[in-house]
Amino acid sequence: GENVGLHLPTLSVQEGDNSIINCAYSNSASDYFIWYKQESGKGPQFIIDIRSNMDKRQGQRVTVLLNKTVKHLSLQIAATQPGDSAVYFCAENMGSASKIIFGSGTRLSIRP
Amino acid sequence: GAVVSQHPSWVICKSGTSVKIECRSLDFQATTMFWYRQFPKQSLMLMATSNEGSKATYEQGVEKDKFLINHASLTLSTLTVTSAHPEDSSFYICSARDLGRGPNQPQHFGDGTRLSIL
């Protein structure tokens, strides 16, 4: 079946650098995308979202880019900090089903 | 705002026991809640969609008689793992959407329940 996947399972970034986490999705009917952060032993925490009628959205230190042509989603974290260490999931809203399906996740680790 | 509380946070029990997990939306109403299961180093897998006042909708491969879901009010959904066995050991996470904020809103997640079956 269709699902959301990721290019990289792990990412190591120098503290202070920018991080880019990528995600590929295959469901063309998805109309809403979300990035979540999950710390160990906790539930996912909302970071930022984007609707399919947009290609970019910015938050505090984070930017999400959506390329519907190639079905690609990315999360950019500016000036990565130790507190950004976590697993990041992209998720897609399955259109009329209104259920959110998660990608496989990327672990972000920060080098001091 | 948009806080989802899950209880218990962890439980250890013997094989064959039934375990109930509660999911509450504390400051908003949710006609729909979702139950996920997460194995170590894996993603969240949607198990079922819990609908207030009606039967839950289960994902393919999830046994509805094994995982009983009740959504009795706009702020409470429960998941009961019946006759649990070691293979049911996992991290169970619920989520809910804020009814009053319209479509295409993010789900808010509880902090999960770590279930260990001996």
Side-chain angles (χ1 to χ4, degrees), chain B residues 38-75:
Chain B
Q38 186 179 31
F39 292 107
K41 299 183 180 181
Q42 294 188 22
S43 186
L44 283 74
M45 297 301 296
L46 181 64
M47 299 174 66
T49 302
S50 170
N51 303 300
E52 187 267 337
S54 65
K55 292 183 179 180
T57 302
Y58 290 82
E59 294 299 301
Q60 189 174 6
V62 178
E63 299 176 58
K64 59 182 180 181
D65 294 330
K66 174 75 172 179
F67 301 99
L68 300 180
I69 292 173
N70 182 273
H71 194 152
S73 76
L74 289 173
T75 60

PDB file of all heavy atoms in Angstrom, chain B residues 38-75:
ATOM      1  N   GLN B  38       3.591   1.338  18.811  1.00  0.00           N
ATOM      2  CA  GLN B  38       4.951   1.603  18.371  1.00  0.00           C
ATOM      3  C   GLN B  38       5.896   0.597  18.997  1.00  0.00           C
ATOM      4  O   GLN B  38       6.027   0.544  20.225  1.00  0.00           O
ATOM      5  CB  GLN B  38       5.366   3.033  18.740  1.00  0.00           C
ATOM      6  CG  GLN B  38       6.727   3.435  18.197  1.00  0.00           C
ATOM      7  CD  GLN B  38       7.088   4.868  18.556  1.00  0.00           C
ATOM      8  OE1 GLN B  38       6.695   5.388  19.592  1.00  0.00           O
ATOM      9  NE2 GLN B  38       7.856   5.532  17.681  1.00  0.00           N
ATOM     10  N   PHE B  39       6.566  -0.181  18.160  1.00  0.00           N
ATOM     11  CA  PHE B  39       7.590  -1.097  18.637  1.00  0.00           C
ATOM     12  C   PHE B  39       8.929  -0.358  18.641  1.00  0.00           C
ATOM     13  O   PHE B  39       9.090   0.661  17.965  1.00  0.00           O
ATOM     14  CB  PHE B  39       7.633  -2.339  17.752  1.00  0.00           C
ATOM     15  CG  PHE B  39       6.407  -3.200  17.882  1.00  0.00           C
ATOM     16  CD1 PHE B  39       5.455  -3.244  16.878  1.00  0.00           C
ATOM     17  CD2 PHE B  39       6.194  -3.954  19.029  1.00  0.00           C
ATOM     18  CE1 PHE B  39       4.315  -4.026  17.006  1.00  0.00           C
ATOM     19  CE2 PHE B  39       5.060  -4.735  19.169  1.00  0.00           C
ATOM     20  CZ  PHE B  39       4.109  -4.766  18.154  1.00  0.00           C
ATOM     21  N   PRO B  40       9.898  -0.868  19.410  1.00  0.00           N
ATOM     22  CA  PRO B  40      11.187  -0.170  19.551  1.00  0.00           C
ATOM     23  C   PRO B  40      11.820   0.153  18.208  1.00  0.00           C
ATOM     24  O   PRO B  40      11.874  -0.694  17.306  1.00  0.00           O
ATOM     25  CB  PRO B  40      12.025  -1.148  20.364  1.00  0.00           C
ATOM     26  CG  PRO B  40      11.023  -1.919  21.159  1.00  0.00           C
ATOM     27  CD  PRO B  40       9.838  -2.079  20.257  1.00  0.00           C
ATOM     28  N   LYS B  41      12.275   1.376  18.086  1.00  0.00           N
ATOM     29  CA  LYS B  41      12.986   1.869  16.910  1.00  0.00           C
ATOM     30  C   LYS B  41      12.156   1.788  15.638  1.00  0.00           C
ATOM     31  O   LYS B  41      12.701   1.725  14.535  1.00  0.00           O
ATOM     32  CB  LYS B  41      14.309   1.119  16.727  1.00  0.00           C
ATOM     33  CG  LYS B  41      15.258   1.290  17.904  1.00  0.00           C
ATOM     34  CD  LYS B  41      16.589   0.596  17.670  1.00  0.00           C
ATOM     35  CE  LYS B  41      17.503   0.791  18.868  1.00  0.00           C
ATOM     36  NZ  LYS B  41      18.824   0.143  18.678  1.00  0.00           N
ATOM     37  N   GLN B  42      10.851   1.800  15.810  1.00  0.00           N
ATOM     38  CA  GLN B  42       9.971   1.789  14.654  1.00  0.00           C
ATOM     39  C   GLN B  42       9.019   2.977  14.715  1.00  0.00           C
ATOM     40  O   GLN B  42       8.970   3.716  15.702  1.00  0.00           O
ATOM     41  CB  GLN B  42       9.180   0.480  14.582  1.00  0.00           C
ATOM     42  CG  GLN B  42      10.051  -0.738  14.328  1.00  0.00           C
ATOM     43  CD  GLN B  42       9.224  -1.988  14.072  1.00  0.00           C
ATOM     44  OE1 GLN B  42       8.061  -1.914  13.691  1.00  0.00           O
ATOM     45  NE2 GLN B  42       9.844  -3.141  14.259  1.00  0.00           N
ATOM     46  N   SER B  43       8.296   3.143  13.639  1.00  0.00           N
ATOM     47  CA  SER B  43       7.360   4.248  13.566  1.00  0.00           C
ATOM     48  C   SER B  43       6.053   3.899  14.282  1.00  0.00           C
ATOM     49  O   SER B  43       5.862   2.787  14.761  1.00  0.00           O
ATOM     50  CB  SER B  43       7.083   4.578  12.105  1.00  0.00           C
ATOM     51  OG  SER B  43       6.283   5.733  11.994  1.00  0.00           O
ATOM     52  N   LEU B  44       5.187   4.870  14.349  1.00  0.00           N
ATOM     53  CA  LEU B  44       3.858   4.641  14.914  1.00  0.00           C
ATOM     54  C   LEU B  44       2.973   4.001  13.852  1.00  0.00           C
ATOM     55  O   LEU B  44       2.897   4.473  12.714  1.00  0.00           O
ATOM     56  CB  LEU B  44       3.218   5.963  15.355  1.00  0.00           C
ATOM     57  CG  LEU B  44       3.700   6.583  16.656  1.00  0.00           C
ATOM     58  CD1 LEU B  44       5.070   7.195  16.506  1.00  0.00           C
ATOM     59  CD2 LEU B  44       2.703   7.625  17.151  1.00  0.00           C
ATOM     60  N   MET B  45       2.303   2.937  14.248  1.00  0.00           N
ATOM     61  CA  MET B  45       1.391   2.252  13.342  1.00  0.00           C
ATOM     62  C   MET B  45      -0.036   2.473  13.836  1.00  0.00           C
ATOM     63  O   MET B  45      -0.363   2.147  14.975  1.00  0.00           O
ATOM     64  CB  MET B  45       1.704   0.768  13.299  1.00  0.00           C
ATOM     65  CG  MET B  45       3.080   0.440  12.748  1.00  0.00           C
ATOM     66  SD  MET B  45       3.323   1.038  11.059  1.00  0.00           S
ATOM     67  CE  MET B  45       2.109   0.059  10.202  1.00  0.00           C
ATOM     68  N   LEU B  46      -0.859   3.021  12.993  1.00  0.00           N
ATOM     69  CA  LEU B  46      -2.248   3.265  13.364  1.00  0.00           C
ATOM     70  C   LEU B  46      -2.964   1.937  13.534  1.00  0.00           C
ATOM     71  O   LEU B  46      -2.932   1.075  12.652  1.00  0.00           O
ATOM     72  CB  LEU B  46      -2.931   4.110  12.288  1.00  0.00           C
ATOM     73  CG  LEU B  46      -4.389   4.461  12.543  1.00  0.00           C
ATOM     74  CD1 LEU B  46      -4.533   5.343  13.780  1.00  0.00           C
ATOM     75  CD2 LEU B  46      -4.996   5.167  11.330  1.00  0.00           C
ATOM     76  N   MET B  47      -3.612   1.786  14.682  1.00  0.00           N
ATOM     77  CA  MET B  47      -4.378   0.577  14.956  1.00  0.00           C
ATOM     78  C   MET B  47      -5.856   0.778  14.625  1.00  0.00           C
ATOM     79  O   MET B  47      -6.478  -0.069  13.989  1.00  0.00           O
ATOM     80  CB  MET B  47      -4.261   0.197  16.433  1.00  0.00           C
ATOM     81  CG  MET B  47      -2.858  -0.108  16.899  1.00  0.00           C
ATOM     82  SD  MET B  47      -2.828  -0.376  18.678  1.00  0.00           S
ATOM     83  CE  MET B  47      -3.789  -1.873  18.822  1.00  0.00           C
ATOM     84  N   ALA B  48      -6.393   1.886  15.110  1.00  0.00           N
ATOM     85  CA  ALA B  48      -7.830   2.089  14.945  1.00  0.00           C
ATOM     86  C   ALA B  48      -8.193   3.544  15.175  1.00  0.00           C
ATOM     87  O   ALA B  48      -7.461   4.294  15.818  1.00  0.00           O
ATOM     88  CB  ALA B  48      -8.605   1.207  15.920  1.00  0.00           C
ATOM     89  N   THR B  49      -9.328   3.902  14.618  1.00  0.00           N
ATOM     90  CA  THR B  49      -9.915   5.222  14.823  1.00  0.00           C
ATOM     91  C   THR B  49     -11.122   5.055  15.729  1.00  0.00           C
ATOM     92  O   THR B  49     -12.025   4.269  15.426  1.00  0.00           O
ATOM     93  CB  THR B  49     -10.334   5.833  13.475  1.00  0.00           C
ATOM     94  OG1 THR B  49      -9.187   5.902  12.618  1.00  0.00           O
ATOM     95  CG2 THR B  49     -10.913   7.226  13.670  1.00  0.00           C
ATOM     96  N   SER B  50     -11.109   5.792  16.818  1.00  0.00           N
ATOM     97  CA  SER B  50     -12.156   5.676  17.828  1.00  0.00           C
ATOM     98  C   SER B  50     -13.170   6.789  17.641  1.00  0.00           C
ATOM     99  O   SER B  50     -12.823   7.959  17.682  1.00  0.00           O
ATOM    100  CB  SER B  50     -11.504   5.778  19.215  1.00  0.00           C
ATOM    101  OG  SER B  50     -12.464   5.894  20.229  1.00  0.00           O
ATOM    102  N   ASN B  51     -14.406   6.435  17.420  1.00  0.00           N
ATOM    103  CA  ASN B  51     -15.457   7.410  17.155  1.00  0.00           C
ATOM    104  C   ASN B  51     -16.420   7.481  18.332  1.00  0.00           C
ATOM    105  O   ASN B  51     -16.945   6.458  18.771  1.00  0.00           O
ATOM    106  CB  ASN B  51     -16.225   7.029  15.892  1.00  0.00           C
ATOM    107  CG  ASN B  51     -15.319   6.899  14.683  1.00  0.00           C
ATOM    108  OD1 ASN B  51     -14.643   7.844  14.288  1.00  0.00           O
ATOM    109  ND2 ASN B  51     -15.269   5.722  14.099  1.00  0.00           N
ATOM    110  N   GLU B  52     -16.652   8.669  18.827  1.00  0.00           N
ATOM    111  CA  GLU B  52     -17.545   8.868  19.952  1.00  0.00           C
ATOM    112  C   GLU B  52     -18.951   8.391  19.625  1.00  0.00           C
ATOM    113  O   GLU B  52     -19.536   8.799  18.619  1.00  0.00           O
ATOM    114  CB  GLU B  52     -17.552  10.347  20.367  1.00  0.00           C
ATOM    115  CG  GLU B  52     -18.327  10.639  21.643  1.00  0.00           C
ATOM    116  CD  GLU B  52     -19.760  11.036  21.391  1.00  0.00           C
ATOM    117  OE1 GLU B  52     -20.055  11.513  20.280  1.00  0.00           O
ATOM    118  OE2 GLU B  52     -20.585  10.883  22.313  1.00  0.00           O
ATOM    119  N   GLY B  53     -19.453   7.497  20.446  1.00  0.00           N
ATOM    120  CA  GLY B  53     -20.821   7.033  20.296  1.00  0.00           C
ATOM    121  C   GLY B  53     -21.034   5.982  19.224  1.00  0.00           C
ATOM    122  O   GLY B  53     -22.171   5.595  18.955  1.00  0.00           O
ATOM    123  N   SER B  54     -19.969   5.515  18.595  1.00  0.00           N
ATOM    124  CA  SER B  54     -20.126   4.483  17.566  1.00  0.00           C
ATOM    125  C   SER B  54     -18.940   3.526  17.606  1.00  0.00           C
ATOM    126  O   SER B  54     -18.016   3.703  18.383  1.00  0.00           O
ATOM    127  CB  SER B  54     -20.268   5.118  16.190  1.00  0.00           C
ATOM    128  OG  SER B  54     -19.076   5.791  15.828  1.00  0.00           O
ATOM    129  N   LYS B  55     -18.985   2.539  16.757  1.00  0.00           N
ATOM    130  CA  LYS B  55     -17.929   1.531  16.758  1.00  0.00           C
ATOM    131  C   LYS B  55     -16.621   2.102  16.187  1.00  0.00           C
ATOM    132  O   LYS B  55     -16.635   2.954  15.305  1.00  0.00           O
ATOM    133  CB  LYS B  55     -18.360   0.326  15.931  1.00  0.00           C
ATOM    134  CG  LYS B  55     -19.500  -0.479  16.547  1.00  0.00           C
ATOM    135  CD  LYS B  55     -19.830  -1.696  15.699  1.00  0.00           C
ATOM    136  CE  LYS B  55     -20.945  -2.514  16.325  1.00  0.00           C
ATOM    137  NZ  LYS B  55     -21.282  -3.712  15.508  1.00  0.00           N
ATOM    138  N   ALA B  56     -15.541   1.554  16.661  1.00  0.00           N
ATOM    139  CA  ALA B  56     -14.241   1.977  16.166  1.00  0.00           C
ATOM    140  C   ALA B  56     -13.994   1.395  14.777  1.00  0.00           C
ATOM    141  O   ALA B  56     -14.545   0.361  14.404  1.00  0.00           O
ATOM    142  CB  ALA B  56     -13.147   1.525  17.119  1.00  0.00           C
ATOM    143  N   THR B  57     -13.160   2.067  14.041  1.00  0.00           N
ATOM    144  CA  THR B  57     -12.742   1.590  12.721  1.00  0.00           C
ATOM    145  C   THR B  57     -11.312   1.083  12.834  1.00  0.00           C
ATOM    146  O   THR B  57     -10.403   1.852  13.167  1.00  0.00           O
ATOM    147  CB  THR B  57     -12.801   2.739  11.691  1.00  0.00           C
ATOM    148  OG1 THR B  57     -14.129   3.266  11.652  1.00  0.00           O
ATOM    149  CG2 THR B  57     -12.405   2.216  10.316  1.00  0.00           C
ATOM    150  N   TYR B  58     -11.119  -0.193  12.554  1.00  0.00           N
ATOM    151  CA  TYR B  58      -9.815  -0.810  12.733  1.00  0.00           C
ATOM    152  C   TYR B  58      -9.040  -0.860  11.419  1.00  0.00           C
ATOM    153  O   TYR B  58      -9.620  -1.049  10.347  1.00  0.00           O
ATOM    154  CB  TYR B  58      -9.978  -2.226  13.282  1.00  0.00           C
ATOM    155  CG  TYR B  58     -10.463  -2.257  14.714  1.00  0.00           C
ATOM    156  CD1 TYR B  58     -11.814  -2.121  15.020  1.00  0.00           C
ATOM    157  CD2 TYR B  58      -9.559  -2.404  15.760  1.00  0.00           C
ATOM    158  CE1 TYR B  58     -12.246  -2.128  16.330  1.00  0.00           C
ATOM    159  CE2 TYR B  58      -9.991  -2.421  17.079  1.00  0.00           C
ATOM    160  CZ  TYR B  58     -11.339  -2.282  17.352  1.00  0.00           C
ATOM    161  OH  TYR B  58     -11.760  -2.283  18.653  1.00  0.00           O
ATOM    162  N   GLU B  59      -7.739  -0.721  11.545  1.00  0.00           N
ATOM    163  CA  GLU B  59      -6.877  -0.853  10.370  1.00  0.00           C
ATOM    164  C   GLU B  59      -6.731  -2.343  10.016  1.00  0.00           C
ATOM    165  O   GLU B  59      -6.932  -3.230  10.853  1.00  0.00           O
ATOM    166  CB  GLU B  59      -5.508  -0.236  10.646  1.00  0.00           C
ATOM    167  CG  GLU B  59      -5.549   1.265  10.848  1.00  0.00           C
ATOM    168  CD  GLU B  59      -6.078   2.007   9.642  1.00  0.00           C
ATOM    169  OE1 GLU B  59      -5.481   1.878   8.542  1.00  0.00           O
ATOM    170  OE2 GLU B  59      -7.089   2.725   9.781  1.00  0.00           O
ATOM    171  N   GLN B  60      -6.366  -2.556   8.776  1.00  0.00           N
ATOM    172  CA  GLN B  60      -6.202  -3.929   8.315  1.00  0.00           C
ATOM    173  C   GLN B  60      -5.153  -4.652   9.147  1.00  0.00           C
ATOM    174  O   GLN B  60      -4.067  -4.134   9.416  1.00  0.00           O
ATOM    175  CB  GLN B  60      -5.779  -3.918   6.841  1.00  0.00           C
ATOM    176  CG  GLN B  60      -5.794  -5.273   6.179  1.00  0.00           C
ATOM    177  CD  GLN B  60      -5.515  -5.187   4.685  1.00  0.00           C
ATOM    178  OE1 GLN B  60      -5.205  -4.116   4.163  1.00  0.00           O
ATOM    179  NE2 GLN B  60      -5.644  -6.296   3.992  1.00  0.00           N
ATOM    180  N   GLY B  61      -5.490  -5.856   9.567  1.00  0.00           N
ATOM    181  CA  GLY B  61      -4.561  -6.666  10.331  1.00  0.00           C
ATOM    182  C   GLY B  61      -4.677  -6.506  11.839  1.00  0.00           C
ATOM    183  O   GLY B  61      -4.013  -7.235  12.584  1.00  0.00           O
ATOM    184  N   VAL B  62      -5.473  -5.564  12.298  1.00  0.00           N
ATOM    185  CA  VAL B  62      -5.652  -5.365  13.730  1.00  0.00           C
ATOM    186  C   VAL B  62      -6.913  -6.096  14.177  1.00  0.00           C
ATOM    187  O   VAL B  62      -7.995  -5.870  13.638  1.00  0.00           O
ATOM    188  CB  VAL B  62      -5.765  -3.860  14.068  1.00  0.00           C
ATOM    189  CG1 VAL B  62      -6.002  -3.661  15.557  1.00  0.00           C
ATOM    190  CG2 VAL B  62      -4.516  -3.125  13.612  1.00  0.00           C
ATOM    191  N   GLU B  63      -6.761  -6.949  15.179  1.00  0.00           N
ATOM    192  CA  GLU B  63      -7.896  -7.767  15.636  1.00  0.00           C
ATOM    193  C   GLU B  63      -8.798  -6.948  16.547  1.00  0.00           C
ATOM    194  O   GLU B  63      -8.407  -6.558  17.662  1.00  0.00           O
ATOM    195  CB  GLU B  63      -7.376  -8.978  16.403  1.00  0.00           C
ATOM    196  CG  GLU B  63      -6.482  -9.904  15.601  1.00  0.00           C
ATOM    197  CD  GLU B  63      -5.935 -11.021  16.484  1.00  0.00           C
ATOM    198  OE1 GLU B  63      -6.750 -11.765  17.064  1.00  0.00           O
ATOM    199  OE2 GLU B  63      -4.699 -11.125  16.602  1.00  0.00           O
ATOM    200  N   LYS B  64     -10.000  -6.729  16.128  1.00  0.00           N
ATOM    201  CA  LYS B  64     -10.921  -5.913  16.924  1.00  0.00           C
ATOM    202  C   LYS B  64     -11.364  -6.615  18.200  1.00  0.00           C
ATOM    203  O   LYS B  64     -11.725  -5.949  19.183  1.00  0.00           O
ATOM    204  CB  LYS B  64     -12.134  -5.492  16.098  1.00  0.00           C
ATOM    205  CG  LYS B  64     -12.945  -6.637  15.544  1.00  0.00           C
ATOM    206  CD  LYS B  64     -14.091  -6.101  14.703  1.00  0.00           C
ATOM    207  CE  LYS B  64     -14.933  -7.216  14.111  1.00  0.00           C
ATOM    208  NZ  LYS B  64     -16.033  -6.707  13.274  1.00  0.00           N
ATOM    209  N   ASP B  65     -11.353  -7.942  18.210  1.00  0.00           N
ATOM    210  CA  ASP B  65     -11.725  -8.656  19.430  1.00  0.00           C
ATOM    211  C   ASP B  65     -10.564  -8.701  20.425  1.00  0.00           C
ATOM    212  O   ASP B  65     -10.767  -8.980  21.605  1.00  0.00           O
ATOM    213  CB  ASP B  65     -12.157 -10.071  19.096  1.00  0.00           C
ATOM    214  CG  ASP B  65     -13.432 -10.105  18.271  1.00  0.00           C
ATOM    215  OD1 ASP B  65     -14.255  -9.180  18.430  1.00  0.00           O
ATOM    216  OD2 ASP B  65     -13.597 -11.031  17.465  1.00  0.00           O
ATOM    217  N   LYS B  66      -9.383  -8.432  19.935  1.00  0.00           N
ATOM    218  CA  LYS B  66      -8.198  -8.412  20.780  1.00  0.00           C
ATOM    219  C   LYS B  66      -8.008  -7.027  21.398  1.00  0.00           C
ATOM    220  O   LYS B  66      -7.645  -6.904  22.551  1.00  0.00           O
ATOM    221  CB  LYS B  66      -6.982  -8.753  19.921  1.00  0.00           C
ATOM    222  CG  LYS B  66      -5.647  -8.637  20.604  1.00  0.00           C
ATOM    223  CD  LYS B  66      -5.432  -9.787  21.543  1.00  0.00           C
ATOM    224  CE  LYS B  66      -4.017  -9.788  22.077  1.00  0.00           C
ATOM    225  NZ  LYS B  66      -3.818 -10.910  23.030  1.00  0.00           N
ATOM    226  N   PHE B  67      -8.266  -6.015  20.617  1.00  0.00           N
ATOM    227  CA  PHE B  67      -8.086  -4.631  21.047  1.00  0.00           C
ATOM    228  C   PHE B  67      -9.449  -3.940  21.044  1.00  0.00           C
ATOM    229  O   PHE B  67      -9.915  -3.439  20.020  1.00  0.00           O
ATOM    230  CB  PHE B  67      -7.108  -3.907  20.124  1.00  0.00           C
ATOM    231  CG  PHE B  67      -5.748  -4.532  20.070  1.00  0.00           C
ATOM    232  CD1 PHE B  67      -5.395  -5.387  19.025  1.00  0.00           C
ATOM    233  CD2 PHE B  67      -4.821  -4.299  21.078  1.00  0.00           C
ATOM    234  CE1 PHE B  67      -4.128  -5.969  18.984  1.00  0.00           C
ATOM    235  CE2 PHE B  67      -3.560  -4.881  21.041  1.00  0.00           C
ATOM    236  CZ  PHE B  67      -3.214  -5.721  19.992  1.00  0.00           C
ATOM    237  N   LEU B  68     -10.067  -3.942  22.225  1.00  0.00           N
ATOM    238  CA  LEU B  68     -11.406  -3.381  22.354  1.00  0.00           C
ATOM    239  C   LEU B  68     -11.329  -1.882  22.613  1.00  0.00           C
ATOM    240  O   LEU B  68     -10.614  -1.435  23.496  1.00  0.00           O
ATOM    241  CB  LEU B  68     -12.151  -4.058  23.510  1.00  0.00           C
ATOM    242  CG  LEU B  68     -12.336  -5.577  23.389  1.00  0.00           C
ATOM    243  CD1 LEU B  68     -13.081  -6.106  24.605  1.00  0.00           C
ATOM    244  CD2 LEU B  68     -13.075  -5.931  22.107  1.00  0.00           C
ATOM    245  N   ILE B  69     -12.061  -1.130  21.827  1.00  0.00           N
ATOM    246  CA  ILE B  69     -12.050   0.316  21.959  1.00  0.00           C
ATOM    247  C   ILE B  69     -13.446   0.812  22.297  1.00  0.00           C
ATOM    248  O   ILE B  69     -14.420   0.421  21.667  1.00  0.00           O
ATOM    249  CB  ILE B  69     -11.548   0.978  20.654  1.00  0.00           C
ATOM    250  CG1 ILE B  69     -10.065   0.661  20.459  1.00  0.00           C
ATOM    251  CG2 ILE B  69     -11.776   2.496  20.685  1.00  0.00           C
ATOM    252  CD1 ILE B  69      -9.506   1.115  19.140  1.00  0.00           C
ATOM    253  N   ASN B  70     -13.485   1.683  23.309  1.00  0.00           N
ATOM    254  CA  ASN B  70     -14.732   2.309  23.717  1.00  0.00           C
ATOM    255  C   ASN B  70     -14.533   3.806  23.770  1.00  0.00           C
ATOM    256  O   ASN B  70     -13.558   4.289  24.331  1.00  0.00           O
ATOM    257  CB  ASN B  70     -15.173   1.785  25.088  1.00  0.00           C
ATOM    258  CG  ASN B  70     -16.494   2.392  25.521  1.00  0.00           C
ATOM    259  OD1 ASN B  70     -16.531   3.457  26.126  1.00  0.00           O
ATOM    260  ND2 ASN B  70     -17.572   1.726  25.185  1.00  0.00           N
ATOM    261  N   HIS B  71     -15.463   4.538  23.176  1.00  0.00           N
ATOM    262  CA  HIS B  71     -15.349   5.997  23.142  1.00  0.00           C
ATOM    263  C   HIS B  71     -16.677   6.557  23.648  1.00  0.00           C
ATOM    264  O   HIS B  71     -17.544   6.934  22.867  1.00  0.00           O
ATOM    265  CB  HIS B  71     -15.062   6.442  21.705  1.00  0.00           C
ATOM    266  CG  HIS B  71     -14.601   7.860  21.585  1.00  0.00           C
ATOM    267  ND1 HIS B  71     -13.783   8.270  20.558  1.00  0.00           N
ATOM    268  CD2 HIS B  71     -14.827   8.944  22.337  1.00  0.00           C
ATOM    269  CE1 HIS B  71     -13.541   9.567  20.679  1.00  0.00           C
ATOM    270  NE2 HIS B  71     -14.165   9.991  21.756  1.00  0.00           N
ATOM    271  N   ALA B  72     -16.800   6.571  24.968  1.00  0.00           N
ATOM    272  CA  ALA B  72     -18.086   6.853  25.588  1.00  0.00           C
ATOM    273  C   ALA B  72     -18.431   8.330  25.659  1.00  0.00           C
ATOM    274  O   ALA B  72     -19.596   8.694  25.806  1.00  0.00           O
ATOM    275  CB  ALA B  72     -18.118   6.257  26.990  1.00  0.00           C
ATOM    276  N   SER B  73     -17.439   9.194  25.572  1.00  0.00           N
ATOM    277  CA  SER B  73     -17.719  10.628  25.668  1.00  0.00           C
ATOM    278  C   SER B  73     -16.784  11.388  24.737  1.00  0.00           C
ATOM    279  O   SER B  73     -15.887  10.802  24.131  1.00  0.00           O
ATOM    280  CB  SER B  73     -17.544  11.114  27.104  1.00  0.00           C
ATOM    281  OG  SER B  73     -16.160  11.229  27.422  1.00  0.00           O
ATOM    282  N   LEU B  74     -16.992  12.684  24.653  1.00  0.00           N
ATOM    283  CA  LEU B  74     -16.164  13.510  23.773  1.00  0.00           C
ATOM    284  C   LEU B  74     -14.765  13.748  24.316  1.00  0.00           C
ATOM    285  O   LEU B  74     -13.944  14.377  23.650  1.00  0.00           O
ATOM    286  CB  LEU B  74     -16.852  14.855  23.525  1.00  0.00           C
ATOM    287  CG  LEU B  74     -18.086  14.800  22.632  1.00  0.00           C
ATOM    288  CD1 LEU B  74     -18.781  16.152  22.610  1.00  0.00           C
ATOM    289  CD2 LEU B  74     -17.719  14.371  21.227  1.00  0.00           C
ATOM    290  N   THR B  75     -14.494  13.244  25.517  1.00  0.00           N
ATOM    291  CA  THR B  75     -13.174  13.468  26.092  1.00  0.00           C
ATOM    292  C   THR B  75     -12.484  12.192  26.555  1.00  0.00           C
ATOM    293  O   THR B  75     -11.386  12.254  27.117  1.00  0.00           O
ATOM    294  CB  THR B  75     -13.268  14.437  27.293  1.00  0.00           C
ATOM    295  OG1 THR B  75     -14.132  13.868  28.276  1.00  0.00           O
ATOM    296  CG2 THR B  75     -13.788  15.808  26.869  1.00  0.00           C
TER     297      THR B  75
END
